């Protein structure tokens, strides 16, 4: 079985979308995120922007292999908002994304079925209004070597189109590289006979 080494995400915040149902307004937003900490700030900003709204429901997911996610109904009936929003994250197969749906109550109760439909639709429209891109899952490595071996290292990096993320070239050299998951084993094999050059995996 081939290793899956790509994932789908959005690169920038999508356009605001609006879904209406029986005088209730549901504003949908999609934001790229890399951690849970970022979600809090974005939600706070939206709460200020929509200070007279009734509910700010959301779902987010981060990670490519160790998936983390959370849903929040924010006072709506249990599983009528956060879960339908999260369902769209799964349906579009995206990660590192936060979806928020802000509701202004229009005076008519929609019932649980109506709420599920409204939150799901607003979330769907928010993702449709975003640019979804495919990215590769990369693993970061540190290559440590003496300056005399720099040509060998650079040749391997060039031949394998590896991305250098940082470098410290002194008497003892360190180069940080980002390797696409699919070719990690191949890169390790290339470096393994070169005992004077050390390569170690970094925690992403």
């Amino acid at each position: 079985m081939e290793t899956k080494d790509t994932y789908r995400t959005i690169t920038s915040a999508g356009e605001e979308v609006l879904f209406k149902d029986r005088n209730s307004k549901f504003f949908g937003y999609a934001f790229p995120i890399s951690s849970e900490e970022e979600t809090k700030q974005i939600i706070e900003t939206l709460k200020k922007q929509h200070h007279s709204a009734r509910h700010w429901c959301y779902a987010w997911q981060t990670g490519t292999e160790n998936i983390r996610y959370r849903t929040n109904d924010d006072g709506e009936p249990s599983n009528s908002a956060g879960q339908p929003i999260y369902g769209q994250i799964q349906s579009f197969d995206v990660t590192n994304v936060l979806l928020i749906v802000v509701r202004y109550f229009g005076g008519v109760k929609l019932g649980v079925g109506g709420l599920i439909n409204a939150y799901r639709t607003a979330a769907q429209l928010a993702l449709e209004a975003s640019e979804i891109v495919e990215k590769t899952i990369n693993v970061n490595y540190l290559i440590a070597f003496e300056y005399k071996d720099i040509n060998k290292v650079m040749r391997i990096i060039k031949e394998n189109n590896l991305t250098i993320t940082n470098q410290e070239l002194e008497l003892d050299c360190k180069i940080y590289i980002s390797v696409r998951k699919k070719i990690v084993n191949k890169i390790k094999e290339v470096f393994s006979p070169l005992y004077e050059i050390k390569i170690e995996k970094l925690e992403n």
Side-chain angles (χ1 to χ4, degrees), residues 76-153:
E76 293 283 32
S78 186
N79 293 328
S80 67
Q83 203 54 47
I85 295 171
Y86 184 59
Q88 291 307 303
I89 292 178
Q90 293 173 303
S91 175
F92 279 76
D93 188 25
V94 288
T95 193
N96 296 347
V97 69
L98 163 67
L99 291 182
I100 305 174
V101 178
V102 179
R103 181 190 183 190
Y104 286 85
F105 183 56
V108 181
K109 291 201 167 176
L110 304 183
V112 170
L115 289 173
I116 289 172
N117 178 59
Y119 281 104
R120 182 177 58 218
T121 305
Q124 177 188 338
L125 293 172
L127 280 173
E128 285 174 354
S130 307
E131 186 188 351
I132 295 173
V133 295
E134 188 165 81
K135 293 188 168 188
T136 56
I137 299 171
N138 292 345
V139 185
N140 295 317
Y141 282 92
L142 163 63
I143 309 170
F145 54 96
E146 290 179 16
Y147 198 81
K148 66 181 175 62
D149 294 313
I150 191 164
N151 289 340
K152 283 185 206 167
V153 173

Side-chain angles (χ1 to χ4, degrees), residues 139-143 165 175-177 200-204:
V139 185
N140 295 317
Y141 282 92
L142 163 63
I143 309 170
T165 55
I175 292 185
Y176 298 84
I177 58 169
E200 65 173 289
K201 182 179 173 183
L202 302 171
E203 287 307 313
N204 282 6

Side-chain angles (χ1 to χ4, degrees), residues 29-84:
Y29 299 88
F31 297 93
I33 56 162
S34 54
S35 68
E36 181 177 359
E37 285 62 50
E38 289 175 56
T39 65
K40 293 166 186 161
Q41 204 174 353
I42 295 168
I43 292 161
E44 283 311 308
T45 304
L46 266 188
K47 281 190 171 179
K48 285 179 189 143
Q49 190 182 326
H50 290 283
H51 55 85
S52 57
R54 185 74 68 87
H55 302 279
W56 299 266
C57 306
Y58 63 86
W60 58 261
Q61 178 175 300
T62 59
T64 51
E65 285 145 312
N66 300 324
I67 299 291
R68 296 189 64 220
Y69 74 95
R70 180 161 297 166
T71 66
N72 189 323
D73 295 315
D74 194 36
E76 293 283 32
S78 186
N79 293 328
S80 67
Q83 203 54 47

